[in-house]
Amino acid sequence: MTLRAELLTARTEEDLSFAMVAMLALFGITSRQDRLADSTQTAMKVVMIGGLALLVVAVAGGLAAREASHAATEVIDRELALVQSLGDLRSSAGDLRRYEKDILLGFADPKTVDSYQAKWMKAARDLESGAARMTPLLDEQGRKNLGELLAGVKTYRAGLEGMLVRLRAGEFSDAQAANK
């Protein structure tokens, strides 16, 4: 039966009401209750889409924060290793000067000279191995500076060895003369 026929043959008020609602729906006219239900559904969809967008942003932010944390940890670990290595180099360089001084002060006793020479050589090896360990942590300028430091240690070693030859040959009368 068509809508027009239903309207014409409606016997009760309920039949007429049903036919009217059907006709209004056919023409896109909805009741206030239907419009309210539609707007509620639309609002719920907007809230759900907003919630999903917020969730996506939160997950992306969490991932970015985790990546930043990992990057910061790597930088801190690298810098800490570098600072520790620099401290070891500084200590070894200080030992070189101290053992040289002890060699000069104990120049009259060959056993003392031999003992401090061995300590000096060990400190030089420690400095060189520490420099080798820290090389990968340095940038180009740092590697250049470290190369200059190692060249200076090589020159220092040659000077110390020359002084030891002269010291053992008895060329120095006292520590001051050996220090010149």
Side-chain angles (χ1 to χ4, degrees):
M1 185 182 281
T2 66
L3 186 58
R4 184 172 179 213
E6 282 186 34
L7 279 173
L8 293 175
T9 59
R11 295 188 191 147
T12 64
E13 192 175 303
E14 187 177 301
D15 288 343
L16 185 59
S17 176
F18 176 75
M20 292 285 286
V21 167
M23 184 178 78
L24 291 172
L26 181 67
F27 292 109
I29 302 170
T30 58
S31 70
R32 184 173 193 204
Q33 186 176 6
D34 289 341
R35 285 192 306 270
L36 185 59
D38 286 346
S39 66
T40 301
Q41 286 178 353
T42 302
M44 287 177 62
K45 288 176 185 176
V46 167
V47 168
M48 288 175 62
I49 290 171
L52 286 173
L54 187 59
L55 180 64
V56 167
V57 168
V59 168
L63 290 174
R66 189 172 75 180
E67 287 296 318
S69 173
H70 287 298
T73 300
E74 287 177 16
V75 167
I76 289 169
D77 289 346
R78 180 182 161 276
E79 292 300 315
L80 180 62
L82 188 58
V83 167
Q84 288 172 337
S85 294
L86 285 171
D88 292 345
L89 286 182
R90 175 178 260 182
S91 176
S92 293
D95 287 344
L96 293 177
R97 179 64 186 118
R98 182 172 58 123
Y99 296 140
E100 177 197 11
K101 177 186 65 79
D102 291 338
I103 288 170
L104 293 174
L105 292 175
F107 82 97
D109 181 13
K111 287 182 183 179
T112 300
V113 170
D114 290 342
S115 170
Y116 283 115
Q117 180 185 5
K119 290 177 181 179
W120 192 98
M121 293 299 184
K122 181 184 179 314
R125 283 190 306 275
D126 289 347
L127 189 142
E128 290 163 348
S129 65
R133 279 192 310 274
M134 74 182 293
T135 298
L137 302 173
L138 297 172
D139 60 11
E140 186 177 329
Q141 182 62 43
R143 285 190 293 274
K144 180 181 176 221
N145 292 344
L146 191 59
E148 292 171 4
L149 172 75
L150 292 174
V153 169
K154 186 176 180 180
T155 302
Y156 190 4
R157 181 188 313 253
L160 179 74
E161 289 171 352
M163 190 260 314
L164 286 170
V165 168
R166 294 177 63 205
L167 185 92
R168 288 188 176 112
E171 290 187 26
F172 304 117
S173 58
D174 59 25
Q176 283 184 330
N179 195 30
K180 291 182 183 180

